[in-house]
Amino acid sequence: MDRDSVDVLLIGGRAGSGKTTVGWEVSARLAAAGVAHALVEGDLLGQVHPAPDGDPDRVGITERNLAAVWRAYAELGCRRLVYTRTVCVLPEYGDMVRRAVGVSEGSEASDASRVRLIRVLLTASDETATGRLVRRELGSRRDAELRTSALKAPMLDARAPSDTVRVATDGRTVVDVATDVVAATGWLGAR
């Protein structure tokens, strides 16, 4: 891997597909193999209420926060990022990630061309996703999460670029799913 390049593993998928859990397992497997990387849960980077003026979907604030977090990791020499977020495999969000992590040390300008994206879309049937969400969502957001998960699954499948690796999570262990996700990166054996 070129010292100036950055590899970003984007793990997307509907709510209840296992993004966060798989992201943590991917990170654990990479760490055990001695592969330097950082893990960022993208959904948390836009958690500000109310939404900033002119940024109703909080994409701008997410990009700013990711750039700030990535800059700190890059200063430590990090060149690989595992990034989880529901819609991160979509082209417009890939572009946002490229801009955010393409900012090099000591520069305000982004060089998105030095960022390689590896897109993985985790899939789960309605039954599997609903079961996971019912167990996980115990508060007032449960019904909304169930509705948006059902809407986002077909949208993500239709709009994810053709180079997106799809990994089914139904009836599989987290370790098995993470094995497939890590294999998509080509990072094992890299340091």
Side-chain angles (χ1 to χ4, degrees):
M1 168 179 239
D2 180 318
R3 182 174 123 11
D4 292 327
S5 65
V6 176
D7 278 2
V8 181
L9 169 59
L10 301 173
I11 303 175
R14 70 187 294 174
S17 63
K19 297 175 300 295
T20 300
T21 304
V22 170
W24 278 100
E25 182 63 24
V26 165
S27 180
R29 294 178 71 88
L30 293 172
V35 177
H37 70 284
L39 170 65
V40 173
E41 171 57 63
D43 286 332
L44 299 178
L45 297 177
Q47 289 299 313
V48 59
H49 302 281
D53 289 340
D55 189 14
D57 296 325
R58 297 167 178 86
V59 176
I61 190 63
T62 298
E63 181 175 342
R64 285 179 48 204
N65 287 338
L66 178 57
V69 169
W70 178 251
R71 188 170 282 132
Y73 289 140
E75 287 172 4
L76 297 173
C78 198
R79 294 291 171 258
R80 290 180 192 88
L81 173 63
V82 177
Y83 183 82
T84 65
R85 187 171 186 204
T86 301
V87 295
C88 68
V89 297
L90 298 180
E92 60 270 29
Y93 288 93
D95 292 344
M96 181 275 293
V97 170
R98 271 197 170 100
R99 287 189 306 269
V101 303
V103 177
S104 57
E105 192 174 339
S107 171
E108 292 300 314
S110 177
D111 182 4
S113 66
R114 65 189 195 95
V115 179
R116 179 176 78 109
L117 299 180
I118 304 146
R119 290 180 170 93
V120 174
L121 177 62
L122 299 183
T123 64
S125 67
D126 288 341
E127 181 180 349
T128 296
T130 297
R132 290 173 181 164
L133 289 170
V134 165
R135 287 188 301 275
R136 180 184 87 193
E137 298 294 333
L138 303 176
S140 61
R141 296 277 312 144
R142 180 155 128 190
D143 290 342
E145 285 293 320
L146 290 167
R147 276 192 307 277
T148 60
S149 178
L151 292 172
K152 285 185 180 171
M155 181 274 293
L156 287 166
D157 189 53
R159 293 198 48 226
S162 61
D163 65 345
T164 303
V165 176
R166 286 164 169 78
V167 177
T169 64
D170 291 274
R172 300 182 67 202
T173 68
V174 172
V175 171
D176 288 342
V177 173
T179 298
D180 288 352
V181 174
V182 169
T185 66
W187 294 348
L188 287 186
R191 298 285 186 250

